[in-house]
Amino acid sequence: QLQLVESGGGLVQPGGSLRLSCTTPEFTLGYYTTGWFRQAPGKEREGLACISHNGGSTKHANSVKGRFTISRDNAKNTVYLQMNSLKSEDTAVYYCAATVRLAVCPTAMVRDEYDFWGQGTQVTVSS
């Protein structure tokens, strides 16, 4: 069973930046297309960004395009989400997810297409 571990969340002021990391201790993350989702209290889980297993395909949701960037370093077995110009509405629990069912990133991120999920990391944007 693929276990994903997120890190890098925390408290940041509006306008600030954070970089989230997602890794797996026992498997090769480079075999998996990987995505970042978030869920704020009382809201649906929202797909933010996707990157294919080799990094050749990426997609970003309109809500974060231009502010968030997904990337991966398969040599370090890690996928990143660089978040800039953070806003209070970005406050949520952020989840990493992985799948072998997607070879490229589709236009819309669908939660059910991802088979493996991390525990999540809290991001709070507040002054």
Side-chain angles (χ1 to χ4, degrees):
Q1 180 82 357
L2 179 66
Q3 291 184 316
L4 300 173
V5 180
E6 303 99 334
S7 61
L11 174 64
V12 63
Q13 292 187 340
S17 298
L18 282 176
R19 189 176 76 161
L20 304 183
S21 298
C22 172
T23 190
T24 177
E26 298 181 354
F27 292 87
T28 301
L29 195 56
Y31 293 151
Y32 298 84
T33 288
T34 309
W36 286 97
F37 292 74
R38 70 183 176 190
Q39 189 164 18
K43 294 190 175 181
E44 295 289 318
R45 193 165 295 191
E46 174 190 14
L48 302 176
C50 166
I51 187 165
S52 61
H53 66 96
N54 62 358
S57 170
T58 61
K59 292 292 183 184
H60 296 80
N62 288 335
S63 58
V64 302
K65 197 173 292 183
R67 297 190 301 123
F68 292 9
T69 304
I70 193 169
S71 63
R72 70 189 308 151
D73 184 340
N74 285 342
K76 294 183 177 180
N77 213 33
T78 303
V79 172
Y80 303 99
L81 185 68
Q82 177 67 45
M83 307 188 295
N84 299 327
S85 302
L86 284 161
K87 307 174 183 179
S88 58
E89 51 262 45
D90 295 318
T91 295
V93 178
Y94 284 69
Y95 297 91
C96 173
T99 181
V100 293
R101 293 189 279 148
L102 296 171
V104 296
C105 293
T107 301
M109 292 182 68
V110 177
R111 178 179 178 174
D112 290 346
E113 291 180 329
Y114 290 80
D115 299 310
F116 306 101
W117 291 81
Q119 299 275 347
T121 184
Q122 176 70 46
V123 171
T124 302
V125 184
S126 175
S127 55

